[in-house]
Amino acid sequence: MNLSLLRRGLGRLAVPRLVRVQAAYTTGRPDLEILDHALAKVDSLGWTRAAVSSAASDLGYSSMAHGVAPHGGISLVGHFMDRALDDTCIEADDQLHELATPADKLRLLCRIRLRQTLPYVRRWPEAAALLAQPQNVAGALERLAELSSRMWYLAGDQSTRIDWYTRRSALAAAYVASELYMCEDRSPEHADTWRFLDERIADINSAERAGAKAVAFGSQFSRNLFNILQSQG
């Protein structure tokens, strides 16, 4: 059932959604302005409705707090994931052309996206636990599907081959594993996290070169992804 959820999410992204205009987040959108401001409250209040309510009060929108985060903290987590992915694509846009291989481009995209999480790394296990709750898993997998689809697309992959799904599920699993590793990493400037990520990207690249073995590799990574999510619940 979980694998079918990820495949449905990936299927909706066969044509990747391109980067949204960044200004659309706040121009004429007080709800997004509140959620952006609430991110500054996460360190002290966590991924909670209280963070959203505090932000709404700061901005003079107290009456909007419930409507902005109808599902509580998971609404704030989802906003962060959407915003961080768009910001990643914008930041990477001027750098991708300097890299020759898809593996190098995937590594850059994952590093930039992981750096988006760094300011919240102390609280990110709480976000992962929210994402792993049964009622939130489908939405979490859909966002991971979008992350992997857009990253592969920006890395130059526009294939429709049989391994389209497995390649994207492998990248999603590699990204999630690196993000959770980063939460426990105490090395200087998170050097161990970047090494761990490099190894996961190398695993994907090796499977790509192995041809048919990539399908089995991707399936195993898919199972690992669900195990990782479930372990946070």
Side-chain angles (χ1 to χ4, degrees):
M1 178 179 177
N2 283 337
L3 283 172
S4 67
L5 283 172
L6 180 58
R7 290 193 181 102
R8 286 204 299 272
L10 287 168
R12 285 193 289 271
L13 298 166
V15 179
R17 180 170 60 86
L18 298 180
V19 176
R20 294 192 293 266
V21 178
Q22 192 170 16
Y25 274 104
T26 55
T27 303
R29 292 291 304 274
D31 55 335
L32 297 178
E33 184 181 358
I34 291 168
L35 289 169
D36 275 350
H37 190 61
L39 292 175
K41 309 277 187 178
V42 166
D43 190 58
S44 58
L45 297 175
W47 302 93
T48 61
R49 192 187 302 276
V52 178
S53 296
S54 178
S57 180
D58 287 352
L59 298 172
Y61 296 125
S62 297
S63 62
M64 293 183 59
H66 180 75
V68 168
H71 304 294
I74 193 64
S75 297
L76 183 56
V77 174
H79 171 75
F80 166 73
M81 293 176 72
D82 293 343
R83 179 68 182 265
L85 180 56
D86 283 348
D87 286 351
T88 293
C89 296
I90 291 168
E91 183 177 340
D93 186 54
D94 293 334
Q95 304 175 53
L96 288 171
H97 71 279
E98 300 173 0
L99 302 173
T101 68
D104 288 338
K105 292 177 181 180
L106 291 174
R107 185 179 298 107
L108 171 68
L109 287 160
C110 286
R111 282 187 174 227
I112 292 173
R113 174 59 186 83
L114 286 168
R115 287 200 295 269
Q116 302 283 342
T117 302
L118 271 177
Y120 312 99
V121 71
R122 185 175 72 88
R123 292 283 198 171
W124 191 250
E126 300 169 21
L130 285 172
L131 291 166
Q133 291 179 3
Q135 69 272 23
N136 299 329
V137 166
L141 293 177
E142 186 170 346
R143 283 187 164 92
L144 285 172
E146 180 169 358
L147 178 146
S148 59
S149 184
R150 290 175 72 181
M151 284 187 176
W152 270 112
Y153 183 83
L154 291 171
D157 176 66
Q158 301 179 41
S159 69
T160 56
R161 295 178 299 173
I162 190 65
D163 61 351
W164 192 94
Y165 294 103
T166 57
R167 296 171 81 182
R168 280 151 179 78
S169 62
L171 179 60
Y175 176 81
V176 170
S178 299
E179 191 169 58
L180 295 177
Y181 186 95
M182 184 173 68
C183 292
E184 302 296 327
D185 184 9
R186 300 296 180 264
S187 63
E189 299 182 352
H190 293 86
D192 288 348
T193 295
W194 310 133
R195 188 178 304 111
F196 181 88
L197 171 65
D198 290 348
E199 292 170 355
R200 302 291 76 73
I201 298 298
D203 288 343
I204 294 172
N205 198 41
S206 296
E208 286 289 296
R209 290 198 300 269
K213 292 181 180 178
V215 175
F217 173 81
S219 297
Q220 179 61 46
F221 255 43
S222 296
R223 288 191 290 272
N224 290 345
L225 170 59
F226 299 120
N227 290 337
I228 289 167
L229 281 174
Q230 290 169 356
S231 72
Q232 300 302 306

